[in-house]
Amino acid sequence: MKYPDIPKRYFATDLSLFRSELVKHGDLQTVKEIGSEPSHAVIHGKGKISLSLIPRFSNLESYNSLRLTLINRSEHLILVGLNLIHGAGVPQKDGEGISFSGGREFLYPGRLCCLNFPVESFGAYGKPRGWENISKIDLIFETEKFAAAPGEFEIEFRELEAVKRLVPAGPRLSQDGLEHLLLKEMDSHSFSKTNFSPSSPSPNGSNARRKTSWVPFSAQDPGLYVEPPHSFPLETALEILNGKIMGQSLPSGIPWHANPTGELEWPHFLNRHHFLRTLIQDYVTTGNKSSMQMVLNVLEDWIQNCPVPINSNGGAGPTWETLTVAWRLREWFWVKGILWNAESFPKAVKSLMLRSVWEHARSLMDHQGHPNNWMIVESAALACAGMIFPELKQANRWVETGIKRLAQEHDRQFFDDSSHFEISTLYHAICIHSILEVRIVAEAVGVPLPLLFYEPLEKSFQYLMDIARPDFTWPSINDSGSFDRDYCQLFARAAHIFNRSDFKWVATKGIKGEPPNRNFCCFPDSGICVIKGTEKKEKKWGLFRAGPAGAFHVHNDVLSIEIFDRKFPWLVDPGITKYAPDPLTSKYRSGLFHNILTVDGVEPTRSTARISERIKSVRDKIQAFEKENSIAVFGVSHELLDKHGNSCSLERGLVLYRNSFWVLFEHVSGKGIHDIVHNWQFSHHVKSVRLAEPFKIIASNEYSQLVIEKLMPDEPSKFDTVRGGINPLRGWVSVGGTDKASYSVRCKTLIELPALFCWTIHGCWNSN
């Protein structure tokens, strides 16, 4: 956070003990992007560049911060980041790796800027041993991500220093400072049970009010049981009490900066405090005082050992990265709603929490994270913090700022068809849950809201409902974690707020409410189309991915499909297990792990396009129709390349005919003779795959089969089947946060382009 505008006696700062020159401007003369002048070096770039700097000494163990002095000669904002390369610079679990700051420090035009990169703002790949062996430092400059074209920039580099700071224990805000920031009298928007009956005015301006049946963040709020957005193991309360968190056994004093796995995500999710919810659930259901006491111990320990970084946005550090700040606040709301008024909740811990909540909110006021789902989660947390902790003087500003930012980000991040521009099921769910949470709290305390919280939000929930599989799992489009994620509990909150029986049907997995009545759902901006069969016993469901790549978290799945038949998902997007650098991580994002077609097996490269291209609507490239005997959708892509780098276009269509079987049509443009490679990625439910040469694939489990048969052309095809392969690395899906072996089949056809392909896909029950 920035240094706050309160008297200095109320807020503890760092004390700079000593500093040393790490890189001077003269050291950059050998870098080709650098021009040298007497007092500084001049860096010229466009879009995004990375410069490798060799430090004057490699052992930085005596320091805990870096200070970068620059002048931005450009007319626009530049984002700046640092990567520290440890040892050989290859992320490994034995100690080497890469530490990075997040690349989001702002370098404003026309002024001398001293950017601070404290050690607590660095995330890490691998398990580096502190800063003892830094072989080089990568300095990264980038223009605004959503610019239509990459901007040019010119920057003066003065120096990079290593700094030793004396950092106080947290919270930095003193008890006297808290008294200074507390309201003497509460206003009307108070987070208490007496104020939870009125709701906000309806969108049409009437005075209609609706009473809620439960208090937000109370024991009755169904949101208490919404699973956290990570794929690490979820322990029981007893396991957590015995020191096991997210699959790791930890000491009683949790090492908040440690990373026992070497995976980037693990310490971030540890510091987001999702595991506290399990303890609170245990306290609610059993009255276990040990669970409540551990919550109190964790809060006190974390607040004292993780002070907020000053004059830094938290970077990629696991403790104060902006997204982590927002998620942690959302978990603390349950503490306020359920534990706060218990007689055993100490006043001292309340004081620590209030002081830290103020620092959290101020940090979110001062900084925003990446321009994607982060900003929505952060803005929602900020708005809720103001309504849930109204005893703090600046609470109303947090509410106003959070809601204003949400309105701006909703307009920017959601397509007109109500889908989120990352085209990721997981991040769509996270965003609409964050927005819904603001509405739930605002209606309880009587804060009026703009229209986005009503019909637009409801339509975004309907989108999520419409793409669910018949078994109440969801497709893992782009980075969405495991292919079998479950968002049903989220709909328990939405069903109450929107009073919809179909949302209740999803929330209860078909036990209560009424099922959705749409058999065909086409979202023309994101290009996500779902076809559903009407036969209740032999359920059919197909997804066609005809849209743009998405703003972030991109997979190279051009015109991919998924098929569910009877009780099982058969052809699936394999999902992704983790984001850390790993061979399987890149494969999960590969088009060759999806149900797509390629020319000569050349991988599509959707992620390299400009963001403005990755979020361009496909309304003019998609056709869909529904007739008496069939439901069909067709899309087109010009993203395919052959082995010579020549562009090829693909027209692909998926048809459900007579509610009985699927037909897949494909027209591939181009010239010359090429290998057309079809990739078929099966789920782990498939127990065997056999090939009926030259045209048929038969996948089976204990109960049924899925048959994929090529009708045309009649050229022979070569089939290659792999399950759980290491070399080649193929045949994997992400299930419940782990990598599961599954069948991957590739069908190669040597043919002259242009060419037309036609496949049938149908299921049948096993005769035995």
Side-chain angles (χ1 to χ4, degrees):
M1 62 179 286
K2 298 176 183 177
Y3 191 91
D5 50 351
I6 61 174
K8 292 184 178 180
R9 66 182 181 275
Y10 294 146
F11 194 80
T13 58
D14 299 340
L15 176 63
S16 180
L17 300 178
F18 55 85
R19 62 181 63 185
S20 301
E21 294 178 346
L22 190 59
V23 179
K24 290 289 290 182
H25 67 87
D27 301 336
L28 274 63
Q29 293 179 358
T30 59
V31 181
K32 67 178 182 179
E33 290 87 352
I34 303 298
S36 181
E37 296 186 18
S39 62
H40 57 267
V42 180
I43 301 170
H44 300 275
K46 184 176 183 179
K48 180 178 181 178
I49 65 169
S50 178
L51 307 176
S52 291
L53 312 179
I54 305 301
R56 294 190 171 193
F57 50 93
S58 61
N59 190 345
L60 306 185
E61 199 72 1
S62 300
Y63 304 88
N64 56 10
S65 187
L66 300 177
R67 179 181 170 91
L68 181 62
T69 305
L70 305 164
I71 297 179
N72 181 5
R73 291 182 177 178
S74 312
E75 296 181 354
H76 47 265
L77 183 73
I78 302 295
L79 305 178
V80 183
L82 289 177
N83 288 355
L84 306 184
I85 313 302
H86 301 258
V90 180
Q92 298 177 3
K93 293 184 179 180
D94 61 1
E96 295 182 347
I98 299 173
S99 294
F100 57 99
S101 71
R104 290 181 289 111
E105 291 294 343
F106 289 169
L107 184 61
Y108 293 97
R111 69 174 81 163
L112 181 70
C113 292
C114 295
L115 304 181
N116 295 292
F117 297 87
V119 66
E120 55 267 32
S121 293
F122 282 82
Y125 290 129
K127 295 170 63 178
R129 296 178 291 267
W131 283 4
E132 66 181 22
N133 182 22
I134 306 300
S135 60
K136 65 177 181 176
I137 300 172
D138 287 342
L139 177 58
I140 301 163
F141 299 100
E142 184 175 8
T143 54
E144 203 277 320
K145 294 178 183 291
F146 282 89
E152 296 184 355
F153 52 80
E154 184 178 285
I155 296 167
E156 292 184 12
F157 178 96
R158 297 301 177 95
E159 63 182 350
L160 177 63
E161 298 174 290
V163 181
K164 175 65 174 180
R165 301 165 296 132
L166 181 63
V167 182
R172 293 179 184 269
L173 181 67
S174 68
Q175 179 62 37
D176 288 341
L178 175 62
E179 296 296 330
H180 173 72
L181 292 168
L182 285 173
L183 289 169
K184 302 305 178 186
E185 295 182 5
M186 294 294 293
D187 64 15
S188 60
H189 300 318
S190 175
F191 190 85
S192 64
K193 292 186 178 181
T194 57
N195 287 336
F196 270 110
S197 56
S199 65
S200 61
S202 62
N204 62 13
S206 71
N207 292 322
R209 295 180 181 276
R210 177 179 53 78
K211 290 186 177 181
T212 58
S213 61
W214 36 259
V215 176
F217 296 103
S218 69
Q220 292 73 41
D221 185 342
L224 179 62
Y225 299 96
V226 174
E227 291 189 357
H230 66 68
S231 298
F232 295 104
L234 299 177
E235 284 80 15
T236 64
L238 180 59
E239 289 174 319
I240 295 172
L241 288 171
N242 288 327
K244 192 173 183 181
I245 300 175
M246 296 191 305
Q248 303 298 314
S249 296
L250 303 177
S252 56
I254 297 176
W256 298 108
H257 294 85
N259 188 352
T261 69
E263 298 177 32
L264 170 67
E265 295 87 3
W266 193 91
H268 287 75
F269 282 111
L270 175 70
N271 280 274
R272 292 173 189 177
H273 291 182
H274 296 302
F275 66 94
L276 293 185
R277 190 102 60 89
T278 302
L279 298 172
I280 296 173
Q281 291 169 5
D282 183 56
Y283 176 77
V284 166
T285 56
T286 70
N288 188 349
K289 293 183 179 180
S290 295
S291 289
M292 179 175 178
Q293 187 58 51
M294 185 169 180
V295 172
L296 297 174
N297 293 344
V298 166
L299 290 170
E300 189 171 10
D301 182 74
W302 186 91
I303 291 170
Q304 292 175 345
N305 286 286
C306 302
V308 58
I310 295 299
N311 293 324
S312 165
N313 66 5
T319 55
W320 282 93
E321 176 189 63
T322 51
L323 184 61
T324 293
V325 171
W327 276 113
R328 186 167 53 244
L329 268 179
R330 293 177 71 184
E331 297 298 344
W332 288 10
F333 296 159
W334 296 103
V335 177
K336 180 69 181 293
I338 294 176
L339 305 182
W340 192 264
N341 292 321
E343 292 183 3
S344 55
F345 201 109
K347 290 183 178 180
V349 180
K350 287 185 179 181
S351 171
L352 285 176
M353 266 194 74
L354 284 171
R355 289 149 67 187
S356 189
V357 163
W358 180 84
E359 293 176 352
H360 280 64
R362 281 301 303 260
S363 185
L364 293 178
M365 288 287 287
D366 291 341
H367 306 291
Q368 296 184 76
H370 295 293
N372 55 1
N373 64 87
W374 288 42
M375 287 189 176
I376 287 180
V377 177
E378 293 162 14
S379 301
L382 180 62
C384 285
M387 292 183 283
I388 294 172
F389 295 94
E391 57 265 48
L392 293 163
K393 288 181 180 178
Q394 298 173 340
N396 283 343
R397 285 190 57 206
W398 304 342
V399 176
E400 293 168 1
T401 302
I403 291 174
K404 180 180 179 181
R405 288 178 181 176
L406 273 177
Q408 294 170 340
E409 291 304 315
H410 182 273
D411 289 347
R412 188 174 68 85
Q413 294 192 34
F414 279 82
F415 290 118
D416 290 342
D417 65 13
S418 301
S419 60
H420 186 250
F421 76 160
E422 292 183 86
I423 316 180
S424 159
T425 316
L426 172 65
Y427 294 114
H428 180 98
I430 286 173
C431 288
I432 61 175
H433 189 191
S434 299
I435 298 170
L436 179 70
E437 211 156 65
V438 175
R439 174 170 168 178
I440 290 170
V441 179
E443 288 190 338
V445 298
V447 172
L449 294 170
L451 290 177
L452 80 90
F453 290 88
Y454 298 91
E455 184 179 359
L457 179 59
E458 183 177 355
K459 287 183 176 179
S460 289
F461 268 95
Q462 181 166 318
Y463 165 85
L464 188 62
M465 175 185 68
D466 284 340
I467 66 174
R469 299 189 187 104
D471 64 347
F472 299 100
T473 63
W474 270 262
S476 50
I477 306 163
N478 280 342
D479 283 349
S480 290
S482 299
F483 95 89
D484 58 346
R485 287 195 72 96
D486 180 347
Y487 302 106
C488 290
Q489 195 61 45
L490 171 58
F491 277 89
R493 268 182 154 181
H496 170 80
I497 293 300
F498 296 109
N499 193 27
R500 287 186 52 158
S501 61
D502 51 356
F503 287 3
K504 181 182 291 187
W505 186 81
V506 176
T508 60
K509 296 190 177 182
I511 296 175
K512 298 179 181 180
E514 297 293 331
N517 58 10
R518 297 208 300 169
N519 295 324
F520 180 48
C521 309
C522 182
F523 300 92
D525 295 314
S526 59
I528 301 298
C529 299
V530 172
I531 300 173
K532 304 176 185 180
T534 57
E535 177 63 43
K536 292 183 178 180
K537 182 179 178 181
E538 299 185 1
K539 295 179 179 177
K540 297 185 185 297
W541 173 98
L543 182 140
F544 188 65
R545 169 99 156 89
F552 302 94
H553 296 283
V554 173
H555 288 204
N556 292 322
D557 51 341
V558 176
L559 297 181
S560 64
I561 66 168
E562 294 196 35
I563 297 294
F564 182 103
D565 193 88
R566 290 162 173 80
K567 297 181 179 180
F568 305 99
W570 292 82
L571 296 174
V572 298
D573 182 312
I576 190 168
T577 300
K578 52 190 171 186
Y579 294 171
D582 178 273
L584 201 48
T585 297
S586 61
K587 290 294 185 180
Y588 277 134
R589 290 173 173 152
S590 163
L592 304 180
F593 258 48
H594 296 74
N595 298 293
I596 70 168
L597 174 156
T598 59
V599 181
D600 299 324
V602 176
E603 169 77 17
T605 54
R606 314 191 87 186
S607 59
T608 60
R610 299 277 312 163
I611 293 177
S612 57
E613 289 296 317
R614 299 205 300 260
I615 59 174
K616 186 176 290 186
S617 170
V618 293
R619 284 178 180 266
D620 59 341
K621 295 181 180 179
I622 192 169
Q623 297 180 20
F625 62 86
E626 186 173 3
K627 293 187 177 180
E628 182 179 352
N629 292 328
S630 62
I631 304 173
V633 59
F634 292 85
V636 60
S637 173
H638 304 287
E639 299 174 74
L640 298 186
L641 299 175
D642 65 19
K643 61 186 176 182
H644 304 296
N646 299 317
S647 177
C648 302
S649 66
L650 170 64
E651 297 173 83
R652 203 177 205 197
L654 182 65
V655 181
L656 178 59
Y657 185 69
R658 291 187 180 274
N659 201 48
S660 177
F661 62 91
W662 303 91
V663 181
L664 182 65
F665 295 100
E666 300 163 322
H667 179 263
V668 189
S669 74
K671 296 180 179 180
I673 298 175
H674 297 273
D675 282 320
I676 301 302
V677 181
H678 287 84
N679 302 274
W680 305 104
Q681 177 61 56
F682 292 92
S683 80
H684 69 300
H685 294 292
V686 174
K687 303 305 180 184
S688 67
V689 169
R690 61 186 177 91
L691 307 174
E693 297 284 1
F695 303 126
K696 189 179 293 186
I697 305 168
I698 302 175
S700 303
N701 58 32
E702 296 92 335
Y703 308 100
S704 56
Q705 295 181 343
L706 189 78
V707 180
I708 305 173
E709 184 172 4
K710 187 177 73 170
L711 300 183
M712 60 179 297
D714 57 6
E715 279 85 352
S717 299
K718 295 181 179 179
F719 292 91
D720 172 24
T721 302
V722 174
R723 181 178 182 273
I726 302 300
N727 187 18
L729 188 58
R730 269 177 53 205
W732 297 92
V733 295
S734 179
V735 183
T738 60
D739 303 313
K740 295 285 188 180
S742 62
Y743 283 97
S744 169
V745 178
R746 289 187 182 166
C747 173
K748 184 184 294 185
T749 307
L750 186 65
I751 194 170
E752 184 173 6
L753 298 184
L756 181 66
F757 291 81
C758 181
W759 304 77
T760 59
I761 304 172
H762 67 274
C764 56
W765 296 106
N766 278 339
S767 58
N768 56 355

